[in-house]
Amino acid sequence: MRDALRGRILDGTYRPGDKLPRDADLATDLGCARATVQRAMQDLSDSGLIDRRRKGGTHVRSEPVTRAVLDIPVIRHEIEGGGARYGYRLQARRVAVCPPDVARRMGLAAPHRMLRVRAVHLADDRPYLAEDRWVCPRTVPGILTLDLETHSANEWLVRTTPYSHGEVAFYALGADAPLAAALDCAPGTALMAIERTTWIGAAPITSVVSVARPGYRLGTEI
Amino acid sequence: MRDALRGRILDGTYRPGDKLPRDADLATDLGCARATVQRAMQDLSDSGLIDRRRKGGTHVRSEPVTRAVLDIPVIRHEIEGGGARYGYRLQARRVAVCPPDVARRMGLAAPHRMLRVRAVHLADDRPYLAEDRWVCPRTVPGILTLDLETHSANEWLVRTTPYSHGEVAFYALGADAPLAAALDCAPGTALMAIERTTWIGAAPITSVVSVARPGYRLGTEI
DNA sequence: AAGTGGTCTAGACCACTGA
DNA sequence: CAGTGGTCTAGACCACTTG
């Protein structure tokens, strides 16, 4: 039923920009309940094919987008899932005032004392991902007493600190000297960076830039 | 109601790995209808927080993932949405047998004659994105007679050729000489590449590698 | 084979928002 | 303020999958 509706849009019955009948009418046409149409429409809306607005009605998107859902697993699981042995090396841990760009990412008006953690995740003893993380101890006091030699901040946070929302960005980055050393590659090598910042309510939790080893790909089906 | 349920999982009532009561019981507990629980659970499942299996029940994911939904707009809209003037330059168009890696991406057993199109998209006359595209004329014959000087293959395809599924991948890439020339940057500059392949049913439509200008970021909220 | 989630119906009310 | 989508209920049946 839902698939029938989806087909009706994809097969060209309705064209980009077209307005669709209201749910109730579509339900009558198709001989099904309104809730069914509603659910089908919700799906299509989630996939980015249509736009729905109360009172405005439902329209086929005239500017279609490719919507990709990316799963970014906990790094240990990604490495072990690839059949490699996971390792972790703490490189630096210190409390410091964060630079302005980190404060901006976190939505703070002014720089702030935070815990900075730099670490490298290893797959079969070879560098896989270098992370440079700032954690806000005002939001997550427990991080200050955690033994970061043995516990990855990454995993401790996901296990203990739920977040309400966050931002993710992907970009390419040329390896500078410290990154090249951490990832065991030539300076200037093109690397993929994932930047993530999370909050619980209005309180920032952490902001991290993770840089993957050369050749890393992030992929999914659409 | 849905939010109440979501809260119940996020607030630590249920822990990673825990099994949740069946929908019907939760509905009784919360004093709501089973359909409501079902919808809430569906949401949580979509966000990657829980795993649901018929007969197996519902579990809080023990290996949480960060699930990011990325919208990749049609490039012209992205450029115009940024307030810049859109431009397009065709660089090459020829029919040729595709290399083995392109055939592999498309799921073809053997290389195949296809149309190759290389083009650059411009924002305010400056290079924004370079695309190297292979189109399968067996699936999309119309592409052979299209005037690619004036029409971007990108837009023509999204307007005329629906796809049933596809694959997308992101990775970093150092600029080789032709790319550096196309994007007006130094050779070796780290660039972000988006590789996309689409099919209609079992028939491959197109496979494209798009490389964005230096500094390009792809971001979203989670 | 039984237990669980997935989908559907028919009906109601609510919430947002565009004319 | 009226029209549309969003959410909810109470009940039914189906489909998958695991023990």
Side-chain angles (χ1 to χ4, degrees):
Chain A
M1 192 81 273
R2 277 201 266 191
D3 297 343
L5 236 173
R6 168 174 274 259
R8 190 116 145 183
I9 288 181
L10 292 176
D11 74 2
T13 307
Y14 301 109
R15 292 271 165 193
D18 281 3
K19 178 169 187 168
L20 272 65
R22 23 196 271 261
D23 292 7
D25 291 347
L26 266 178
T28 312
D29 284 8
L30 296 166
C32 68
R34 218 239 315 163
T36 306
V37 174
Q38 156 72 22
R39 247 173 296 127
M41 292 303 212
Q42 199 64 260
D43 284 356
L44 292 170
S45 179
D46 288 346
S47 342
L49 271 80
I50 60 175
D51 256 341
R52 313 197 84 203
R53 259 178 254 168
R54 284 164 158 142
K55 168 87 181 185
T58 302
H59 294 258
V60 180
R61 283 182 91 113
S62 47
E63 306 191 353
V65 295
T66 297
R67 189 158 291 181
V69 178
L70 284 180
D71 279 347
I72 310 170
V74 172
I75 184 63
R76 181 166 62 81
H77 298 137
E78 179 172 334
I79 289 172
E80 290 175 348
R85 187 163 37 78
Y86 174 74
Y88 165 79
R89 194 163 64 216
L90 178 66
Q91 297 199 294
R93 176 206 181 279
R94 73 160 180 284
V95 175
V97 173
C98 71
D101 66 307
V102 172
R104 192 175 348 100
R105 289 209 299 262
M106 289 190 167
L108 298 171
H112 198 291
R113 284 184 77 77
M114 295 194 189
L115 181 68
R116 184 189 194 183
V117 180
R118 289 194 304 115
V120 179
H121 302 268
L122 311 166
D124 284 339
D125 293 323
R126 286 164 48 183
Y128 189 89
L129 188 102
E131 69 172 65
D132 184 351
R133 178 185 299 272
W134 293 83
V135 189
C136 189
R138 188 175 290 187
T139 312
V140 201
I143 193 76
L144 292 173
T145 53
L146 183 69
D147 178 6
L148 288 164
E149 295 282 354
T150 52
H151 294 76
S152 142
N154 188 353
E155 285 194 58
W156 184 82
L157 282 167
V158 299
R159 272 212 327 278
T160 61
T161 314
Y163 64 88
S164 57
H165 65 290
E167 291 175 1
V168 191
F170 307 92
Y171 54 92
L173 185 71
D176 58 13
L179 258 181
L183 291 173
D184 193 19
C185 64
T189 305
L191 302 169
M192 169 106 139
I194 305 175
E195 184 181 293
R196 246 182 301 186
T197 308
T198 52
W199 290 264
I200 174 82
I205 300 171
T206 187
S207 184
V208 56
V209 177
S210 301
V211 182
R213 68 175 177 192
Y216 183 81
R217 286 166 67 98
L218 207 51
T220 189
E221 296 183 359
I222 52 178
Chain B
M1 193 79 271
R2 275 203 267 191
D3 297 343
L5 236 174
R6 167 175 273 259
R8 190 114 146 186
I9 288 179
L10 293 176
D11 74 2
T13 306
Y14 301 109
R15 293 271 164 192
D18 282 2
K19 177 168 189 168
L20 272 64
R22 25 196 272 261
D23 293 7
D25 292 345
L26 265 179
T28 312
D29 284 6
L30 295 167
C32 68
R34 220 248 302 172
T36 306
V37 175
Q38 155 72 23
R39 247 172 297 128
M41 292 303 215
Q42 200 67 42
D43 283 358
L44 292 170
S45 179
D46 287 347
S47 350
L49 270 80
I50 60 175
D51 256 343
R52 314 196 83 203
R53 257 177 257 167
R54 284 161 157 142
K55 167 88 180 183
T58 302
H59 294 258
V60 180
R61 283 181 90 113
S62 47
E63 306 192 353
V65 295
T66 297
R67 189 159 289 179
V69 178
L70 284 180
D71 279 348
I72 309 170
V74 172
I75 185 64
R76 181 166 62 80
H77 297 136
E78 179 172 333
I79 289 171
E80 291 175 349
R85 189 163 35 78
Y86 173 75
Y88 165 80
R89 195 163 62 216
L90 179 66
Q91 297 200 293
R93 175 204 182 281
R94 73 161 180 284
V95 175
V97 174
C98 70
D101 65 309
V102 172
R104 192 173 350 100
R105 289 209 299 262
M106 289 190 166
L108 297 171
H112 199 288
R113 283 184 76 78
M114 296 196 189
L115 181 67
R116 183 188 194 183
V117 180
R118 289 195 305 115
V120 180
H121 302 268
L122 312 167
D124 284 339
D125 293 324
R126 286 164 48 183
Y128 189 89
L129 188 102
E131 68 172 66
D132 184 351
R133 179 186 298 272
W134 293 83
V135 188
C136 189
R138 187 174 289 188
T139 311
V140 200
I143 194 76
L144 291 174
T145 54
L146 182 70
D147 178 5
L148 287 163
E149 295 282 353
T150 53
H151 294 76
S152 141
N154 188 352
E155 286 193 58
W156 183 84
L157 282 168
V158 297
R159 273 213 327 280
T160 61
T161 313
Y163 65 87
S164 57
H165 65 288
E167 289 175 2
V168 61
F170 307 92
Y171 54 93
L173 187 70
D176 59 13
L179 258 181
L183 290 174
D184 193 19
C185 65
T189 305
L191 301 169
M192 169 105 141
I194 305 175
E195 184 180 293
R196 246 181 305 185
T197 307
T198 53
W199 290 264
I200 176 82
I205 300 171
T206 187
S207 183
V208 57
V209 176
S210 301
V211 182
R213 68 175 176 191
Y216 183 80
R217 285 166 68 98
L218 207 52
T220 189
E221 296 182 2
I222 53 178

